[in-house]
Amino acid sequence: MPHRPERDKMVEYRVEGTIMTEITNMADVAKFVREVRKAQKVSQTVLAQAPNVGLRFVGDIERGKPSIQFDKLLAVLTSLGISLKLHTFG
């Protein structure tokens, strides 16, 4: 069985100025999105306007709501310049 980090710790890797983060749950997504948004000095209101998702939805992401619409989440990630890559363990 592959090694997985503890659920309450996000694992970050920095490669050539790019931050890669292992996400194991919605709380990890929430923390990462909030950190990136704040680093870019973007308010939740402004972020919600770009992908036209609504302020409540952005708040739901940052609170780690587990039942987020995936297509809207991708739109928010894209507007922050975050890409999502999936891979298999091993």
Side-chain angles (χ1 to χ4, degrees):
M1 182 167 235
H3 170 71
R4 299 180 89 173
E6 295 177 34
R7 284 205 156 295
D8 61 344
K9 293 183 180 177
M10 271 191 350
V11 179
E12 286 190 354
Y13 309 92
R14 293 183 186 269
V15 178
E16 298 176 14
T18 300
I19 300 171
M20 294 186 292
T21 304
E22 187 168 330
I23 301 292
T24 60
N25 54 44
M26 193 58 198
D28 291 345
V29 174
K31 182 178 180 199
F32 191 74
V33 167
R34 185 174 35 260
E35 288 176 358
V36 170
R37 177 183 61 77
K38 287 183 174 186
Q40 294 179 11
K41 296 181 176 27
V42 174
S43 70
Q44 286 184 338
T45 303
V46 170
L47 177 58
Q49 292 170 353
N52 197 27
V53 295
L55 181 58
R56 180 176 174 181
F57 185 80
V58 172
D60 286 346
I61 292 170
E62 292 192 8
R63 282 188 297 280
K65 182 178 177 186
S67 58
I68 295 292
Q69 280 186 262
F70 191 68
D71 59 334
K72 288 184 176 183
L73 174 61
L74 287 177
V76 170
L77 296 177
T78 299
S79 69
L80 285 170
I82 300 171
S83 67
L84 181 67
K85 299 180 191 282
L86 304 173
H87 65 88
T88 59
F89 289 103

